[in-house]
Amino acid sequence: MAVAKPKPDARQDSKVDPDLLRTMYRHMVRARVLDERMWVLNRQGRAPFVISCQGHEAAQVGMAMALRPGYDWLAPYYRDLAVTLVIGMTPRDHLLAVLARAADPNSGARQMPAHYGCRRLNIITGGSPVATQVLHAAGAALASKVRGEDAVALTSLGEGSTSEGDFHEGLNFAAVHRLPVICVVENNGYAISVPWEKQGAIKDVAQRAQGYGMPGVIVDGTDVVACYHAAVEAVARGRRGEGPTLIEAKVARLTPHSSDDDDRVYRSREEVADNKAHDCVARFRLELEESGVLAPGDAAEIRAEAMREVDRALEEAEASPLPSPESALLHVYAEDV
Amino acid sequence: MAVAKPKPDARQDSKVDPDLLRTMYRHMVRARVLDERMWVLNRQGRAPFVISCQGHEAAQVGMAMALRPGYDWLAPYYRDLAVTLVIGMTPRDHLLAVLARAADPNSGARQMPAHYGCRRLNIITGGSPVATQVLHAAGAALASKVRGEDAVALTSLGEGSTSEGDFHEGLNFAAVHRLPVICVVENNGYAISVPWEKQGAIKDVAQRAQGYGMPGVIVDGTDVVACYHAAVEAVARGRRGEGPTLIEAKVARLTPHSSDDDDRVYRSREEVADNKAHDCVARFRLELEESGVLAPGDAAEIRAEAMREVDRALEEAEASPLPSPESALLHVYAEDV
Amino acid sequence: MAVKTYIEAIRDGMRDEMRKDERVIVLGEDVGVKGGVFKATEGLHKEFGEMRVIDTPLAESGIVGVAIGAAINGLRPIAEIQFQDFIMPAVDQIISEAAKIRYRSNNDFGVPMVVRAPFGGGVHGALYHSQSMEAMFCHIPGLKVVVPSTPHDAKGLLRSAIRDPDPVLYFEHKRAYRLIKGEVPEDEYTEPLGRAAVRRSGDDIAIFSYGLMVHFCLEAAEALSRDGFECEVVDLRSLRPLDRQAIVDAAKKCGKVLVVQEANLAVSVASEVAAIVAEECFEYLDAPVRRLGGPEVPAVPFSPPLEEFYMVNPAKVEHALRELAAY
Amino acid sequence: MAVKTYIEAIRDGMRDEMRKDERVIVLGEDVGVKGGVFKATEGLHKEFGEMRVIDTPLAESGIVGVAIGAAINGLRPIAEIQFQDFIMPAVDQIISEAAKIRYRSNNDFGVPMVVRAPFGGGVHGALYHSQSMEAMFCHIPGLKVVVPSTPHDAKGLLRSAIRDPDPVLYFEHKRAYRLIKGEVPEDEYTEPLGRAAVRRSGDDIAIFSYGLMVHFCLEAAEALSRDGFECEVVDLRSLRPLDRQAIVDAAKKCGKVLVVQEANLAVSVASEVAAIVAEECFEYLDAPVRRLGGPEVPAVPFSPPLEEFYMVNPAKVEHALRELAAY
Ligand SMILES: Cc1ncc(C[n+]2csc(CCOP(=O)(O)OP(=O)(O)O)c2C)c(N)n1
Ligand SMILES: Cc1ncc(C[n+]2csc(CCOP(=O)(O)OP(=O)(O)O)c2C)c(N)n1
Ligand SMILES: [Mg+2]
Ligand SMILES: [Mg+2]
């Protein structure tokens, strides 16, 4: 159960098909472009609230691509924009939420943006209380197991949220019942303003796995391929009925906690600049261009394509109506129609 | 932070004064005799509820004797009869509770027996919900630290109760703030009927310590001297400001869960017999007689003395009045007098 | 018809539904080999195996949270909380999650889950094995709360709860488990959620109650009947939603109202019933709406004189009725 | 007198008490360097240091449980729950522990702790940053629940809460933080727990409310005053215990009663107020007791048309008052 450090040769020994690499890059760029657009809308006063995946894209895309969309289950958290895009949600879906339109598939604009959910894609609706979803993932995995299916359930949360009792109860239950749960901790070092040192007296979140008897894997969350490999292994383990895995992805939060936060009071500009210098999207682009997976101009075209998609999505979202006031009364119970 | 196995030479390298050994034995016998008497009262229909420390005495006496009564803090659980006796409560105190008399110092007979509490001795009142007391111990330790005192807080619970979120939140808080908390898990292998394998996918409860960044120590909970040494070390660590320690004491539950439980449906008679064969009180008596710490006849006299004390205590408790009905309305708030 | 105890009816209800629908599972502390501390799940582990009757770790938020996830992924979990007193660690999963999942997902997801828990005092259970904590859940939109008072309803309401597409809290009075017996049909009947039942009719005083207290109310009503006062006894059964119509009808018919519950009164089910009557029956009332419940202390104390003082009993109900009758 | 905002008064109250009594500490998520997500604790970390202003791990049961232990060992903790919506994981520590510790120990122990939490909607906070969850705590003997509506009361009631020997839940309306301003005395005044305050006197309709809603009620009362209807506006302030006398006096004086709250009505504070009036003012009432609150849906939805539909506002209060006046 020792914490598995990422193999230095991870990149070499992993023959990843160039098309797959390009797809990964496309997903990361798409998420980044969409996320950036949401901030623009916020600054323009057209979106009251934005919370960002910027800096987490590599981890999110790598993990999500190890899953079978619509078959495996997800209980993500508010930063997982890129996860939802990989699984099949669209920029339009999320811009509908950001603009609080009735057609928002996550919640019909009942929840704040970034509270993801989509029955069709087995993305379990999330609320705001952190860590509760870890138990929902365990329950979903239990149901699959009871039916004899080999679907896995991936849940994610921030490192700060591992301090909650539900994290403990969820991983413990999953371990005792050897459930196919993959718990991804996206460790960006902060819970709003509270640094990791004030959340746990351990160096790595992955160490928490040892209290539950499951592997605790640490990956460089800015390395999409490493994240992908870690998830593929955890998913395979789950499908084989060997139980859950905790994966800690070390990432950087490139923005303040949310559009309501000002991080200047609690972290230095140097730190923020340093994070930006290690931006996972830029890093992956460089790697792909060096290795020739991306030809000159490809990256620019991929970004332009994402821009066009987001532009279209925004137009559609803006043209879409707000919910009617009385609809606030619907769907408290199944019989309310 | 590897789990520290008890040193085989633990007994040798620990020069324990014979008087101290005799005191330990006296405490164990006193608790056992009192506990047995409570079961008699229950069978006679004079005590509606009994929950037992039988099989846990060595762990409880060893741990409690490492503390400074009235200075250090305790947040014990319902099995800790022997702990409370070592710290300064009396058989009379507990028989008043068992017989639901107004003079019960734990709760004025408002709670079931075995819900310990005594302000004078810094034994924090306990309710029935398990594991909540771990947080109270952390809070008490925090207060001592804020005032610059070197008092420690010892809390105990069963292995099953480590599945609760409050266990996680309590140890994590204590570790982050390097609080002088000693958390003793009395692992008797069962949570009522549920065996340890269904509580955790790990061999030893002590492993949970690794998720918090604190030492996780395993001791033979039927070896009072080993428990004493483990606690002395943890207490010293706490007083030095080096933070909390988790101690797992492997014990045997010699009775059913409580007087309401029938354990025949979930554990074999062989297992029960085997546990009785390794009774910690009998074992310690043998050791002390072999090593000459107890002379022939001493043990019998110690038991007789305990019997006399319990007889007296029972007479006094029975002579003591029940609470008046209207007193049920008192002490909801401080101003109710 | 077979005569069953209240707890037998609950056990039968679970067994029947588990035989009929393999999506139904039971999970909780000691529900497996031991069959539960009250034996409510006795025999289920043997018949359905440990895949469907699951001894969980000792963690209530975990039990309910896992049940929610399992329900979302197609099962029909029955989560047992060993004592209602110990539901508190699960309140976040019940109120923040289960109750809000349909609403927050705009009807995309639902949580067909039942949470069973024994409540109530009079069993020497003291502060933490005697509470009646239904009130806080009855405030929460998205939850349904049911409390049966007879073996017939225990089975019929449990069937409906298990088949309901939304989360239902099903609270069982632990003192009724073996005390209350009654006829239970063999057939696959159900009792609807959301409907009260008139247990006795009269037109002098309307009594609203639920759980074990219904039986105390009937006893007291008989005593008054001997003096010619006829009470209507309405068993609320469903505490969320309340059967507003049944409450208003009985209150208007009688003009005098007594609400009886075991729990303390402040901000409780009795408060809501009294408020409904005050709002909707103003012109029909001949006396102030009267509430009878436990005292405003944290819970039922252990020592017999204290417990007796705390508990509502038939004599206290009768006393309250006579005061109302004399008004 | 200095004019302060509601949140400034709260911050000043904490700072003053911390200067006066070194047993007072503050703990919670982001309360330290950041000064809280609403800045309620801004400056405290700098002035009192991290021993007394503690950024805790992200764990609400932990925050409250640690505060209980610290209070038992001589401190006077102020625990901040970042949003009242997130108090749910701490319900077991609040209800099973804090509320019962004095009673269960027969007065041997007490828990002098304050739990502060921002509540209320109208801030685009959606389901989990808008709730008004006071009702469930107001049912619980052993707890005190306070909701200030003015800067003056915010400081005076907070002082009393910090000095109180028992656990006090102190709920702050987050929309009032910067919206509501008022004069706050420089001296060390306190406001008593358990007492309502009459904000406007009249004898046609008695309005009972608390928190931000009190201001909406006053606005609506002015509108009716122009037509010659004078409303008495009673700010409940203390939701547990309720000021029974103040409620009965105003209800008897006016004969018509409207209870206004932001939360949904079922089994709520408004239910209890209505029940008290129905019990004690029967012969004085000229109309049914009326309640106005949020709809029976799980929480405040996000999209502006939905949020607006959900929220109580002065116009809705005025409409309810005119109906009552016309009765
Ligand atoms: C139970 C609960 N408590 C508090 C909050 C408020 N809150 C929202 S996000 C957050 C910090 C989460 O930090 P982390 O888990 O590290 O995730 P990150 O945002 O850094 O990705 C807090 C305290 C909440 N949403 N739920
Ligand atoms: C929160 C909570 N849930 C359930 C219970 C019921 N209960 C009382 S003791 C117990 C088992 C505890 O087992 P363990 O922690 O191993 O302690 P042991 O009794 O074996 O010493 C249970 C489930 C409780 N008291 N509190
Ligand atoms: Mg983080
Ligand atoms: Mg045990």
Side-chain angles (χ1 to χ4, degrees):
Chain A
M1 222 123 33
V3 170
K5 297 253 169 288
K7 317 191 204 66
D9 55 330
R11 317 303 303 284
Q12 285 64 355
D13 69 1
S14 58
K15 306 266 157 293
V16 182
D17 167 84
D19 289 340
L20 187 62
L21 293 171
R22 273 187 291 271
T23 307
M24 287 175 175
Y25 182 68
R26 204 173 284 111
H27 279 306
M28 287 168 67
V29 170
R30 200 158 159 248
R32 175 66 59 92
V33 165
L34 175 58
D35 194 288
E36 287 169 345
R37 181 65 57 92
M38 292 175 181
W39 283 92
V40 173
L41 293 170
N42 177 255
R43 276 190 297 274
Q44 294 171 335
R46 293 151 74 193
F49 178 80
V50 175
I51 192 160
S52 216
C53 72
Q54 291 184 45
H56 293 226
E57 294 93 342
Q60 292 178 12
V61 169
M63 303 293 172
M65 287 191 66
L67 299 177
R68 278 173 53 189
Y71 178 71
D72 293 322
W73 286 80
L74 292 96
Y77 84 124
Y78 48 85
R79 293 211 190 275
D80 286 329
L81 181 66
V83 170
T84 66
L85 294 175
V86 170
I87 297 303
M89 297 191 82
T90 66
R92 180 175 177 282
D93 292 340
H94 296 311
L95 287 168
L96 285 164
V98 167
L99 298 178
R101 306 303 162 129
D104 159 30
N106 297 285
S107 78
R110 288 168 168 208
Q111 295 211 79
M112 292 173 119
H115 287 59
Y116 307 115
C118 181
R119 178 136 201 66
R120 182 175 51 86
L121 298 170
N122 289 355
I123 298 172
I124 297 174
T125 172
S128 301
V130 299
T132 54
Q133 72 274 18
V134 177
L135 283 160
H136 304 164
L142 176 70
S144 298
K145 184 183 175 185
V146 166
R147 282 195 301 268
E149 301 161 358
D150 72 348
V152 303
L154 182 141
T155 186
S156 41
L157 70 165
E159 85 292 341
S161 301
T162 67
S163 298
E164 289 280 1
D166 277 6
F167 170 82
H168 175 71
E169 297 188 16
L171 289 196
N172 194 53
F173 188 98
V176 167
H177 290 277
R178 296 175 73 84
L179 300 177
V181 171
I182 296 101
C183 180
V184 178
V185 177
E186 300 180 24
N187 182 356
N188 59 18
Y190 288 91
I192 306 184
S193 72
V194 181
W196 167 241
E197 309 77 68
K198 289 186 173 174
Q199 293 290 346
I202 48 180
K203 186 171 153 300
D204 304 304
V205 177
Q207 226 169 298
R208 298 227 196 262
Q210 307 200 21
Y212 308 113
M214 63 175 74
V217 180
I218 298 171
V219 283
D220 175 354
T222 66
D223 180 340
V224 61
V225 174
C227 292
Y228 174 71
H229 287 305
V232 165
E233 200 177 315
V235 168
R237 205 171 160 268
R239 297 212 202 279
R240 289 195 304 267
E242 292 168 17
T245 303
L246 175 65
I247 301 178
E248 174 184 9
K250 306 235 188 230
V251 299
R253 196 187 80 197
L254 298 181
T255 63
H257 173 72
S258 76
S259 53
D260 292 340
D261 179 41
D262 174 1
D263 62 356
R264 285 169 303 184
V265 296
Y266 60 83
R267 61 175 179 176
S268 73
R269 296 305 87 191
E270 297 63 42
E271 182 185 325
V272 173
D274 181 69
N275 285 337
K276 290 229 163 75
H278 297 83
D279 179 337
C280 60
V281 179
R283 166 192 171 161
F284 193 41
R285 173 190 174 157
L286 260 168
E287 288 173 3
L288 293 182
E289 289 178 335
E290 279 168 7
S291 60
V293 173
L294 287 182
D298 284 1
E301 173 47 29
I302 287 171
R303 183 172 172 85
E305 183 194 331
M307 290 289 230
R308 286 192 296 274
E309 184 187 13
V310 170
D311 290 338
R312 258 197 323 279
L314 184 55
E315 276 168 32
E316 289 172 36
E318 280 180 314
S320 176
L322 292 165
S324 70
E326 316 67 36
S327 69
L329 297 174
L330 298 177
H331 310 314
V332 178
Y333 299 99
E335 54 266 33
D336 310 331
V337 282
Chain B
M1 224 125 27
V3 171
K5 299 252 170 287
K7 317 189 207 66
D9 55 329
R11 316 304 301 286
Q12 285 64 354
D13 71 2
S14 58
K15 307 266 158 293
V16 182
D17 168 80
D19 289 341
L20 187 61
L21 292 173
R22 273 187 292 269
T23 306
M24 287 176 176
Y25 182 67
R26 206 171 284 112
H27 279 305
M28 288 168 68
V29 170
R30 200 157 158 248
R32 176 64 60 91
V33 166
L34 175 58
D35 194 289
E36 288 169 342
R37 181 63 58 90
M38 292 175 180
W39 283 91
V40 172
L41 293 170
N42 176 255
R43 277 191 297 274
Q44 294 170 335
R46 292 153 75 193
F49 179 80
V50 175
I51 192 159
S52 213
C53 72
Q54 291 184 44
H56 293 226
E57 294 93 341
Q60 293 178 10
V61 169
M63 302 294 172
M65 287 190 67
L67 300 177
R68 278 173 54 187
Y71 178 70
D72 293 321
W73 286 79
L74 292 96
Y77 84 124
Y78 48 85
R79 292 212 191 275
D80 286 329
L81 181 66
V83 169
T84 66
L85 294 176
V86 170
I87 297 302
M89 297 190 81
T90 67
R92 180 175 177 281
D93 292 340
H94 296 311
L95 287 168
L96 285 164
V98 167
L99 298 179
R101 305 303 161 127
D104 159 30
N106 297 284
S107 79
R110 290 169 167 208
Q111 295 210 79
M112 292 172 118
H115 287 60
Y116 307 115
C118 181
R119 179 132 200 68
R120 183 176 49 87
L121 297 170
N122 290 354
I123 298 173
I124 297 173
T125 172
S128 301
V130 299
T132 53
Q133 72 274 17
V134 177
L135 283 159
H136 304 165
L142 176 71
S144 297
K145 184 183 175 183
V146 167
R147 281 194 302 268
E149 301 162 358
D150 72 348
V152 303
L154 183 142
T155 185
S156 41
L157 68 167
E159 85 292 339
S161 301
T162 67
S163 298
E164 290 279 2
D166 276 7
F167 170 81
H168 175 72
E169 298 189 15
L171 289 196
N172 193 53
F173 189 98
V176 167
H177 290 277
R178 297 176 71 83
L179 300 178
V181 171
I182 296 102
C183 180
V184 178
V185 177
E186 300 179 23
N187 183 355
N188 58 19
Y190 288 91
I192 305 184
S193 71
V194 180
W196 167 242
E197 310 77 67
K198 289 187 172 172
Q199 293 289 346
I202 48 180
K203 185 171 153 299
D204 304 304
V205 177
Q207 227 170 295
R208 298 224 195 265
Q210 307 200 21
Y212 308 112
M214 64 174 74
V217 179
I218 299 172
V219 283
D220 175 352
T222 66
D223 180 341
V224 61
V225 175
C227 292
Y228 174 71
H229 287 303
V232 165
E233 201 176 315
V235 168
R237 208 175 156 267
R239 296 210 202 281
R240 289 194 306 266
E242 292 167 16
T245 303
L246 176 64
I247 301 177
E248 174 184 9
K250 306 231 188 235
V251 298
R253 195 187 80 197
L254 298 182
T255 64
H257 172 71
S258 75
S259 52
D260 293 340
D261 180 40
D262 174 1
D263 62 355
R264 285 168 304 184
V265 296
Y266 60 82
R267 63 175 178 176
S268 72
R269 297 305 87 190
E270 296 63 39
E271 182 184 324
V272 174
D274 181 68
N275 285 337
K276 290 229 164 73
H278 296 83
D279 180 336
C280 60
V281 180
R283 168 196 169 158
F284 193 42
R285 172 189 174 157
L286 262 169
E287 288 173 5
L288 294 181
E289 288 177 337
E290 278 168 8
S291 60
V293 174
L294 286 182
D298 285 0
E301 174 46 30
I302 288 171
R303 184 174 172 83
E305 182 194 331
M307 291 289 233
R308 287 192 296 274
E309 183 187 13
V310 170
D311 290 339
R312 257 197 324 278
L314 183 55
E315 276 169 34
E316 289 171 35
E318 280 181 312
S320 177
L322 292 165
S324 70
E326 315 67 34
S327 69
L329 297 174
L330 298 176
H331 310 314
V332 178
Y333 299 99
E335 52 268 30
D336 309 330
V337 281
Chain C
M1 256 188 292
V3 170
K4 301 265 190 180
T5 61
Y6 185 88
I7 194 168
E8 283 167 345
I10 292 165
R11 188 186 303 127
D12 292 351
M14 286 190 277
R15 194 196 303 100
D16 291 3
E17 289 300 296
M18 290 183 81
R19 285 177 179 169
K20 203 172 146 293
D21 182 350
E22 64 179 14
R23 297 172 305 168
V24 180
I25 65 165
V26 170
L27 68 164
E29 296 154 11
D30 303 288
V31 298
V33 179
K34 184 174 167 68
V37 294
F38 290 101
K39 299 283 176 216
T41 58
E42 192 170 34
L44 300 183
H45 181 267
K46 193 163 186 307
E47 177 171 355
F48 301 104
E50 65 180 6
M51 268 295 217
R52 290 181 66 195
V53 181
I54 302 171
D55 272 327
T56 64
L58 177 35
E60 290 73 17
S61 189
I63 291 167
V64 174
V66 164
I68 290 169
I72 282 174
N73 187 6
L75 298 187
R76 294 266 165 161
I78 303 172
E80 176 176 303
I81 299 297
Q82 199 160 75
F83 288 82
Q84 190 200 46
D85 312 71
F86 307 134
I87 204 170
M88 295 299 144
V91 159
D92 190 43
Q93 284 289 346
I94 293 170
I95 292 182
S96 303
E97 301 295 326
K100 294 177 170 62
I101 278 175
R102 184 178 301 281
Y103 191 78
R104 82 184 183 203
S105 68
N106 203 32
N107 211 28
D108 204 22
F109 289 91
V111 181
M113 159 185 81
V114 177
V115 178
R116 287 181 44 247
F119 78 101
V123 297
H124 312 310
L127 272 68
Y128 298 98
H129 300 81
S130 304
Q131 291 178 85
S132 299
M133 290 304 257
E134 57 280 358
M136 55 191 281
F137 300 105
C138 297
H139 175 58
I140 306 299
L143 296 180
K144 295 181 180 180
V145 181
V146 174
V147 179
S149 71
T150 68
H152 176 285
D153 279 7
K155 189 169 183 180
L157 290 169
L158 183 55
R159 273 213 189 87
S160 299
I162 293 169
R163 297 174 189 185
D164 197 84
D166 289 304
V168 180
L169 305 185
Y170 180 96
F171 295 141
E172 310 158 4
H173 199 294
K174 66 178 81 71
R175 205 183 148 202
Y177 275 153
R178 288 162 179 85
L179 183 69
I180 305 299
K181 302 180 182 60
E183 294 197 325
V184 178
E186 311 298 336
D187 71 336
E188 209 188 287
Y189 73 101
T190 60
E191 285 294 326
L193 307 182
R195 295 277 202 67
V198 176
R199 298 299 180 193
R200 181 185 197 287
S201 65
D203 49 24
D204 294 321
I205 301 176
I207 310 176
F208 301 103
S209 192
Y210 54 95
L212 183 66
M213 295 299 113
V214 170
H215 301 276
F216 294 177
C217 293
L218 287 166
E219 212 176 306
E222 286 314 312
L224 262 77
S225 170
R226 285 182 224 106
D227 309 349
F229 287 101
E230 295 306 337
C231 298
E232 176 123 336
V233 178
V234 179
D235 180 352
L236 295 168
R237 303 199 301 184
S238 167
L239 304 186
R240 182 167 188 108
L242 279 167
D243 187 342
R244 220 177 162 89
Q245 195 54 54
I247 292 168
V248 170
D249 291 346
K252 285 182 174 174
K253 175 174 154 196
C254 299
K256 293 183 177 182
V257 170
L258 175 67
V259 193
V260 180
Q261 69 188 18
E262 200 172 310
N264 64 293
L265 295 173
V267 191
S268 69
V269 173
S271 316
E272 182 61 25
V273 173
I276 290 170
V277 170
E279 264 167 328
E280 305 203 359
C281 310
F282 177 67
E283 280 150 0
Y284 298 78
L285 291 181
D286 307 319
V289 180
R290 184 104 163 63
R291 294 180 290 166
L292 175 64
E296 294 295 323
V297 307
V300 186
F302 178 66
S303 192
L306 302 177
E307 182 177 39
E308 221 176 288
F309 178 87
Y310 183 106
M311 296 301 294
V312 169
N313 57 40
K316 291 181 184 178
V317 178
E318 183 179 340
H319 178 76
L321 288 173
R322 293 199 182 278
E323 279 184 355
L324 257 183
Y327 187 90
Chain D
M1 259 191 290
V3 170
K4 302 265 189 179
T5 61
Y6 184 87
I7 193 169
E8 283 167 343
I10 292 166
R11 189 185 303 127
D12 292 351
M14 286 189 278
R15 194 195 303 102
D16 291 2
E17 289 299 297
M18 290 182 82
R19 286 177 179 169
K20 207 173 141 294
D21 182 350
E22 63 181 13
R23 297 172 305 168
V24 180
I25 66 165
V26 169
L27 68 164
E29 295 154 11
D30 303 288
V31 298
V33 179
K34 183 173 166 70
V37 294
F38 290 101
K39 300 284 177 214
T41 58
E42 192 169 35
L44 301 184
H45 182 267
K46 192 163 186 306
E47 177 171 356
F48 302 104
E50 65 179 7
M51 267 296 216
R52 291 180 66 194
V53 182
I54 302 171
D55 272 326
T56 64
L58 177 35
E60 290 71 18
S61 188
I63 292 167
V64 174
V66 164
I68 290 169
I72 282 173
N73 186 6
L75 297 187
R76 294 265 165 164
I78 304 171
E80 176 177 302
I81 298 297
Q82 200 161 77
F83 288 82
Q84 190 200 45
D85 312 70
F86 307 134
I87 203 169
M88 294 301 145
V91 159
D92 190 43
Q93 284 288 347
I94 294 170
I95 292 181
S96 302
E97 301 295 326
K100 295 178 170 63
I101 278 174
R102 184 177 301 281
Y103 191 78
R104 83 183 183 203
S105 68
N106 203 32
N107 211 29
D108 204 22
F109 289 91
V111 181
M113 159 186 81
V114 178
V115 177
R116 288 181 43 245
F119 77 101
V123 297
H124 312 311
L127 272 70
Y128 298 98
H129 300 79
S130 304
Q131 291 178 86
S132 298
M133 291 303 254
E134 57 280 358
M136 55 192 280
F137 300 105
C138 297
H139 175 57
I140 306 300
L143 297 179
K144 295 180 180 181
V145 181
V146 175
V147 178
S149 72
T150 67
H152 177 284
D153 280 6
K155 189 170 183 179
L157 290 170
L158 183 54
R159 272 211 190 90
S160 299
I162 293 169
R163 298 175 188 184
D164 197 84
D166 288 305
V168 180
L169 304 185
Y170 181 95
F171 295 142
E172 309 159 2
H173 199 293
K174 66 176 80 70
R175 203 182 149 202
Y177 275 152
R178 287 163 180 85
L179 183 69
I180 305 301
K181 300 180 183 59
E183 295 198 325
V184 178
E186 312 298 336
D187 71 337
E188 208 188 285
Y189 73 101
T190 61
E191 286 293 326
L193 306 182
R195 294 276 202 68
V198 176
R199 299 297 181 194
R200 182 187 197 287
S201 63
D203 48 24
D204 294 321
I205 301 175
I207 310 176
F208 300 105
S209 192
Y210 54 94
L212 183 66
M213 294 299 113
V214 171
H215 301 277
F216 294 177
C217 293
L218 287 167
E219 211 177 308
E222 286 313 313
L224 261 77
S225 172
R226 287 182 223 107
D227 308 348
F229 287 101
E230 296 306 334
C231 298
E232 176 123 335
V233 178
V234 179
D235 180 352
L236 295 169
R237 303 199 301 184
S238 168
L239 304 185
R240 182 168 189 105
L242 280 167
D243 187 341
R244 225 180 156 86
Q245 196 54 54
I247 292 168
V248 170
D249 292 347
K252 285 183 174 175
K253 175 174 154 198
C254 299
K256 292 182 177 182
V257 170
L258 174 67
V259 194
V260 179
Q261 68 187 20
E262 200 172 310
N264 64 294
L265 294 174
V267 191
S268 68
V269 173
S271 317
E272 182 61 25
V273 173
I276 290 169
V277 171
E279 264 167 329
E280 304 203 1
C281 311
F282 177 68
E283 282 151 358
Y284 298 79
L285 290 180
D286 308 318
V289 180
R290 183 102 165 61
R291 294 180 291 166
L292 174 65
E296 293 296 323
V297 307
V300 186
F302 179 66
S303 192
L306 303 177
E307 182 177 39
E308 222 175 287
F309 177 86
Y310 183 105
M311 298 301 294
V312 169
N313 58 38
K316 291 181 185 178
V317 179
E318 184 179 339
H319 178 75
L321 287 173
R322 294 199 181 279
E323 279 183 357
L324 257 184
Y327 187 90

